[in-house]
Amino acid sequence: MVEEDCNANQPNQQSSIDCLEQPVDSDQNNEKPIIDNSCRQYYKGIMAYASGNYQPDSSHSSTSFSPQSNLSSSSRQDSLTDIIQQHYHQFPLPPNHQINREASSTFSQYDGSDTDWLDTRSSTQSGSHHYLYHRHHPPVADINLFGNLRGDIHNSSRFLRYALSTESLIALLESKRNKTPPGVTATTSMNSIHSHRLHSPIPFASNPELSSETLINKHHVPYPAWFGSSHQHVLPSHQQVQRIFIDLKNAFGFQYDSMLNMMDHFMVMLDSRASRMSPAMALLTLHADYIGGQNANYRKWQFAVHLDSTVGGMMDDKIRDSLRKLSWKETEESWRVKMEQMTDTERVRQLALWLMIWGEASVIRFCPEVLCFIFKLADDACDTKLAEVQEKKTIAPEGDFLDNVVKPLYDFARDQVYQKDKDANTVRRDRDHSDIVGYDDMNQSFWSSKTICQIVLQDKSKLMTLAPHLRFNALRNVNWKKAFKKTFKEKRSWMHLAVNFTRIWIIHVVSFWYYIAANSDILYLDSDKATAEKELPVKISITALGGSVATLLIMLGSIVEYIYVPFTFQRAGILMRRMILLLLILALNAGPSVYCVFINRTGMLSMAAAVIQLLLSLVTSIYFAVIPQSRLFVRSKKTTPSEPLHDHAQQTFTASFPHLKKTDRMISIGLWICVFGCKLLESYFFIALSFKDPLKAIANMTVLHCNDAITGSFLCSHMPTISLVLMLLMELVLFFLDTYLWYVIWNTVFSAARSFYLGISIWSPWRNIFSRLPKRIYTKLLATSDLDFQIQPKILCSQIWNALIVSMFQEHLLSPDHVSKLLYRQIHAIGSSKSTLKSPSFFVSQDDVAFKTEYYPQKSEASRRMQFFAKSLTTPMPESLPVPNMPTFTVMTPHYSEKVILTLREIIREEDRSARITLLEYLKQLHPFEWENFVKDTKVLADEKQTTDEIIDEMGSIDSLPSTVIADERTERQHKINDLPFYCVGFKSASPEYTMRTRIWASLRTQTLFRTITGFMNYQKAIKLLYRVETPGLGSTQLPSSPVTEAELEEMANRKFRFVIAMQRYAQFDAEERESVEYILKAYPSLQIAYLEEEKVGNDTVFYSVLINGHCSFKPDGTRSPKYRIRLPGNPILGDGKSDNQNTALIYYRGEYLQLIDANQDNYLEECIKIRNVLGEFEEMHSVNNESPYATPTNGKSPVAIVGAREYVFSENVGVLGDVAAGKEQTFGTLTQRIMAIIGGRLHYGHPDFLNAIFMTTRGGVSKAQKGLHLNEDIYAGINAFGRGGRIKHIEYFQCGKGRDLGFGSVLNFVTKIGSGMGEQMLSREYYYLGTQLPLDRFLTFFYGHPGFHINNIFIMLSVHLFMFVLLFVAATSMPLNVCDSSADPATQREDCYNLVPIFEWLKRVVTSIFAITFIAFFPLFLQELTERGFFRACSRLCKHMLSFAPLFEIFITQTYANSILNNLTFGGARYIGTDRGFATARLPFSLLYSRFADTSMYAGARLTMLLMFGSFVLWIPHLAYFWFTVLALLFSPFLFNPHQFCLTEFLIDYRQYLRWLSRGNGTSHQDSWIRFCRFIRMRVTGTKRKSLHNHRDVSTQQTRLPLSAMVFSEVLVPCIVALLSVTAYVFTRSFNEKETVSPSALVRVGVLALAPVLLNAVVLLALFALSLVLGPLANLCCSVKFGATVAAVAHVWAVLNVVVFFELLYFLEDWSLVHVVLAVVAVTSVQRFFFKLITVTVLTREFAEDRINQGWWTGRWYGRGLGWYAWSQPVREFVCKTIEMSLFATDFIMGHFILFILFVVCLVPGIDKWHSFMLFWLKSSQQIQKPIYSTDQRRKRKQTAALYGLLLVVMFFVFAVLLVAPAILGPRLDFKLSLPI
């Protein structure tokens, strides 16, 4: 830290006394507490009493004294001590203890055992001379329990400089114990001298300055582990390292700042390694990790492509392969010898060259093998270029490497996605992924020497024909457009699932075939029972056809695979050989069935053939299910480098999966044996065997007396067959769902079992968890190996524990009373001078009924954190290294637009009128205890404005303070009134120190960047704490010979920890955001901020990556001078943003490990002190032997690439939605990952994972960044690491806080983003590689842990739709038929009855299955809560979810997941969706919710409602109630979870908004209108035109036209099938003519009712179009807007009336039968929907993104809209659009009103708004959000509006009721003689 900053804010002695005052009392009657002077005295003594640092001496033994106004500081302390003694008379203290005020106090010795942990009075003196430290002098008497808490006043608390005076209190205690030795000053931190520069040792360098952080002199050693080593004389000196970097910069033209950055990066890495091993070994291992070691990516690339001077060039592949095979061992040995014999200078040079190439590569860092190629060429040319520099004294221009090597590659990558339009604006190309050569395609082009050798220069010569030392210079002339091509086509198709997950389909479809075929013999055996019994061979043979099914699935996958993989001559040969073998296997599997079924059905030969066929079928199925596609028909062997080059490269970079330990592999196999064992057993009985009876019933059904005028009896005779097919499909979907059900169950059970094994379950001995906590702190968190026999363990633990307690107190989680009970206290025994250390009874009182003390608020954040901390230390943890030996690591957080610090306006003002509550009020209700503590602190801070002398003058005497307690009631009331501002807004004075405290308090309880920064800067505090505690001379004593300086601690913390914020938009921040950032930088000067800077140079924009920190000086314009400013090849944001932002800032990380954090996370001090254990999980901490990594053969153990950790979602109690979202995150991030890491299925999810920085940065970085495709960017880095041999672990003892979405809309936005990202993942090559190369058990783990979850959601919703159509057909079949009565005597049954009872029973089982599959989602959370928090907590949380209608929300989320994936695979357009993670207290309008969710769920819910209504009318069973629950969830969830949805006044005003939404947008453009919503849905299919009607085109409205295949499948085929099924059911019911009269076909009726309204709408539209053409231009002169809106209103009213008329006509045609009307509506609407989809796909062209065509249609004004020649074609196109829109408008009008009617009824329930708010927010009625305050005029207008539109809504309700119900009642009584031809 900068010393002057620290000194400027240190409190003086006077303020240290003043800051002790704080009220702690709380009124028992829930009234606001008042300031009581005795409370202030109470607070004064807490910390001092705990430390034992006070006792009255002989001169102050009296209980009273007379203070003087001119008391010295020392006297005041003595007086204060007396006060504390007086108010803590309940704790007897020895009278002979004297406060040690001299630095040279007497020394004492320890008494007691090192294992004396829990004795409440552990002596600190003995006669055994067991000193605290091994020094030449004994230790001091007083134990410094709080020395580790001193810290800088700015950052030791999360309130920074506005923290309460706990620090001042500690400073006071310290000043009473020791005095700072004179002449001691703090040394300057290495980060504070950056502004100084060092002249370059190279005389002709372009810039003669170097970074001060590479400076070494007698005053400062910036890299002490490296340059402070005794081995320095045999290693490259600092000047030599500088010379190497500068020579390389001059030779290759690297940028100066980039060189400085990478030099510091290199030196910090060396310093980190050298801190735990010898410097020589540090350099050697670093070189091995980057360049030449077994796990170095560069070495793997070299051996994969073998691109060296001896074998490279243009040699034929076959010759190269053979030579490579013969000389592999020799080549490997040659490489090892070469690496081992390198000099240290050569190693430094190679590392420097790699780092500087990597540092300037920009987006090319996503292509690791491209970097390997560039490095190879640069390394080959290095000697030549360095010689030229040294001999000719010439250097390459600065930026030459960037301009001539990186920029051409960047330009190619950018031009694949973006282009310049005619106005020179950068716009996205209209391309999908399959047409874009992305980063992976570019990278994969360097996996083969063949493709590398095909790289050509601009003169068409080949690069690799040049001499090796000339190739680098030729890179600037490479024609990259011809060098790259697609290596994998990410075509948007469902067929990816057939390729990637072939084995999933084989396992399920083939098993299902075996089960069903064996139980459906009625379909293929003879109808004669005796004959059928002899046809057993037929049954076996048909069942054995499962092998043929497996073969067909493999053939399908093999053929489709080559649609995505470029088809070459070599691959054609592979495919041909595979297909020939598959055809042979197919013949062997299917051939015997021909004999057994058609030739000989009963003979012994047939039986033998059938049995052999069955055995062959089982072998075939198992083989295809187990063996990955990539290994089909390949001899079983280990993949060796002797294989052809392309095979070995793909194996190296995509299939080097890390090996599992034997026990882990057994767990993996055991899990899947349990899953499929239970699944296959249960599915056989519950699905297959139970289907036998309904199958028999429907197979024997023959429908009689059924005839239609057009279809005749054909449809009737095939009705059972269609029903059977639907039922079989339903069974197959359930068969798939059943597997996921058992996976969830067994995965949860295995995870819970592991939690027991690790000891983190609540069922572990609770007493031991806390009673052994001090010992575990010592043994697990401290580097005990270096502390033995130096310090008593209890003393060390007391310092750690007290620091944790004080940190919670500073965050207002604990009250002073709690703190006093939790701290260690140092006291003196009565009658003795021995010091004793008293442990808090907290450790022994847990789970002991004898103790009634409350140590922390129950069910509070403090409780949770303490309990997790105690439980976490029971788990196995790596040993801690001492702080100086620990590795350096960096935390990196990407930031875009997330809130930094909340402003006062955001806190105390309502977000909008519909919010009803301010953010501060809501936070106060969520955290009442913490707010109360905060208010008390603030009042104490306000009191600190007065000096102690002034207080004494006012009070007269200090010991008269207790007598000044307010007794007068009026004075007490006035006192409460005066304190009211504190409890309302947290301050009374509007000065910045008070308002900032309130802002910080609120920011720490919301999802802000400030919370993230202050949380993770706890690492700095933890390192200081551990260093002080563990280091003699820095811990418990302060001796004159070893003074404690904050700068020394600061330097160690900065050396071991860095925090980088990738603040992309910092240069565009407004004043408010900059002020917040500056505030943080002043508090944390070592915080690094990386951002993008744009600079205009002529017509071009130059982009820079800039790094600043708090030490950077200010420029005249108020901005900070950058530490590094590195030019980029162009705009680095080419993807979706986050990954590009991370990549740009990645060059500024330091150390060996990275932790990736999102900007909505938090961390805690007790977790940060575990950092050394976490870093030990990388298994590199103790490998410090002196054996060269090149001298020993590889041990085959894969390196650890990622270490994942738990997350605690701190938004879990913010209402039902926040809790549901938190529960999902909790189960996935903890319970699921716990077992997945063991069985090798865990990947990388971005947060809060720790990454092996070298491993990841040499393999493509921490994420991937192709726009759209890599939307879920983090998981690709995990897949990449996993496929390249990196192990991924998960730890249970460390956790970070995580914020989650809190509102319905934000949760659904997040779900949509995740679902869309999963759709993109299914298209990716990563899934192709994993799906076709993983062994079976790990493949199943990967599938069900990632894509399987989303596919399961699709299957769940598919099962709902399939069930509805099965119900439709069963109901339609049973309606006209005579169903046998199951309860009647068979003898009395009618002969023509149909036995459908087995089908009805089957329907019940299906409903039960779907119900179980849906509600199993609650099981993992319940078990997680049960194991970690107990049975009561698990039950209470589950009950709260159920009572809050969380199951409805789960159903809606399932639909959203399914819809987002389906839409993405169909339409594409995946993009990052910003989720507003604020508190969802605002009410959203009905129209907004309707437009947001109508297309995704409500339309589907309405269609399902009609089907379910018909099924319930005809065939009611109680089980159907679940499906009513489902359809209600799809229709009403958005409104049910909308705050204050049922407030009647708001609801009625909402109705007005809905009507306006329907009508506006036709005369002039409007963002919130029905026409915009309608056009958006249509444009997803048609796409938008590239032409813009005005100059400024909205990029967000750009849409790509749907591919033909996707349009045919999703927009034509699926609606066609739905229409056919609906019409079939309707026609079947109308084919039974009871009147025996000739009637027209039902098909005619459906066609007329579906198309006639459309034709009438078209006629009306033509008339209105002519009217608008005539009157529109005239009306434009006065009322153009109103004219267009009026014409549109007329058309829309007609559309609604048209639908109503035809509905009533349908009522009449169906003989007033509501049941038949519902079925007819289903058929008519499905046909109409199919017709509209067909017209949209076949007729409509691309649409203009602007809304001007719509306005031109209604206003008649086509001129002046920039249409040009389009003015002739657009009216025709718009006529088609408007014809469709008329029917769609009527649908939305009617559907919206039906939803409003039901909601309106609910609004009439008394008190419903309060109950609804209680359900959503879980707030008591006393905490309910109050009604907003309006003026009298506003209230009057609102009441009038509500009354008017309420009346209108009631009228509409009765109109709809009459139109719907009256015909059913009155119709049968009317005698109409009207006869219609339909």
Side-chain angles (χ1 to χ4, degrees), residues 892 1142 1146 1154 1156 1244 1251 1256 1260-1264 1273-1274 1277:
M892 189 166 74
Q1142 285 178 324
L1146 192 59
L1154 266 169
L1156 296 182
H1244 169 52
L1251 276 61
M1256 299 301 293
V1262 299
S1263 56
K1264 288 195 174 185
E1273 72 289 332
D1274 299 321

Side-chain angles (χ1 to χ4, degrees), residues 966-1180:
I966 301 172
D968 184 75
E969 189 174 327
R970 181 180 303 172
T971 308
E972 181 179 356
R973 188 182 304 111
Q974 184 62 40
H975 197 80
K976 292 181 179 180
I977 294 174
N978 292 338
D979 284 348
L980 190 59
F982 287 110
Y983 291 98
C984 289
V985 292
F987 55 85
K988 195 172 184 180
S989 170
S991 57
E993 61 266 31
Y994 297 112
T995 59
M996 179 56 79
R997 279 177 53 81
T998 301
R999 291 173 59 191
I1000 290 177
W1001 187 88
S1003 298
L1004 290 176
R1005 281 150 186 84
T1006 51
Q1007 300 180 38
T1008 58
L1009 181 65
F1010 180 82
R1011 180 175 190 166
T1012 302
I1013 292 175
T1014 55
F1016 283 88
M1017 286 304 290
N1018 275 319
Y1019 282 129
Q1020 190 180 62
K1021 186 176 180 181
I1023 291 172
K1024 292 180 183 180
L1025 169 65
L1026 293 169
Y1027 186 46
R1028 184 191 293 271
V1029 168
E1030 294 177 356
T1031 306
L1034 295 180
S1036 299
T1037 63
Q1038 297 183 33
L1039 302 176
S1041 59
S1042 57
V1044 179
T1045 61
E1046 180 63 28
E1048 188 174 354
L1049 296 174
E1050 187 77 18
E1051 182 178 350
M1052 179 59 70
N1054 290 337
R1055 182 181 160 206
K1056 297 300 179 182
F1057 164 69
R1058 301 291 175 89
F1059 196 166
V1060 178
I1061 307 292
M1063 199 168 283
Q1064 176 183 332
R1065 291 180 49 255
Y1066 176 76
Q1068 287 81 41
F1069 275 5
D1070 57 27
E1072 175 191 306
E1073 291 173 311
R1074 282 185 175 273
E1075 180 185 359
S1076 299
V1077 173
E1078 282 302 321
Y1079 175 77
I1080 296 174
L1081 280 178
K1082 289 178 181 177
Y1084 301 114
S1086 59
L1087 181 69
Q1088 315 283 314
I1089 294 180
Y1091 65 92
L1092 292 179
E1093 185 175 274
E1094 301 178 25
E1095 182 179 290
K1096 278 288 184 181
V1097 180
N1099 295 326
D1100 298 327
T1101 302
V1102 180
F1103 290 85
Y1104 292 88
S1105 176
V1106 183
L1107 184 75
I1108 61 171
N1109 60 21
H1111 297 297
C1112 295
S1113 61
F1114 287 96
K1115 295 189 292 187
D1117 61 356
T1119 61
R1120 289 185 180 268
S1121 299
K1123 185 175 182 180
Y1124 303 116
R1125 188 171 185 261
I1126 301 171
R1127 183 164 61 89
L1128 302 174
N1131 188 348
I1133 311 299
L1134 301 181
D1136 291 295
K1138 180 180 177 182
S1139 50
D1140 297 296
N1141 189 19
Q1142 285 178 324
N1143 178 64
T1144 305
L1146 192 59
I1147 57 176
Y1148 301 120
Y1149 91 88
R1150 295 293 185 265
E1152 301 178 66
Y1153 305 105
L1154 266 169
Q1155 187 183 18
L1156 296 182
I1157 293 300
D1158 282 347
N1160 63 333
Q1161 296 197 243
D1162 197 3
N1163 209 347
Y1164 319 106
L1165 180 61
E1166 66 271 16
E1167 301 303 312
C1168 290
I1169 62 176
K1170 305 172 190 173
I1171 183 59
R1172 296 180 296 179
N1173 310 87
V1174 175
L1175 298 181
E1177 296 287 349
F1178 287 96
E1179 303 174 10
E1180 298 178 340

Side-chain angles (χ1 to χ4, degrees), residues 171 753 1421 1620:
L1421 180 61
L1620 287 175

Side-chain angles (χ1 to χ4, degrees), residues 1304 1308 1312 1357 1361 1452 1454-1460 1462-1463 1489-1501 1503 1530 1534 1573 1576-1577 1580:
F1304 187 86
L1308 268 296
T1312 301
M1357 299 316 299
H1361 285 76
F1452 200 88
T1454 302
Q1455 166 65 19
T1456 305
Y1457 268 126
N1459 182 80
S1460 59
L1462 295 174
N1463 280 349
L1489 293 173
Y1490 186 89
S1491 61
R1492 170 66 177 84
F1493 300 109
D1495 187 54
T1496 59
S1497 66
M1498 292 184 188
Y1499 290 157
R1503 290 192 292 270
L1530 296 179
F1573 157 73
F1576 172 78
I1577 296 175
R1580 291 190 310 176

Side-chain angles (χ1 to χ4, degrees), residues 179-196:
K179 303 221 182 260
T180 304
V184 176
T185 59
T187 60
T188 307
S189 171
M190 64 179 179
N191 283 337
S192 64
I193 60 175
H194 174 72
S195 59
H196 305 293

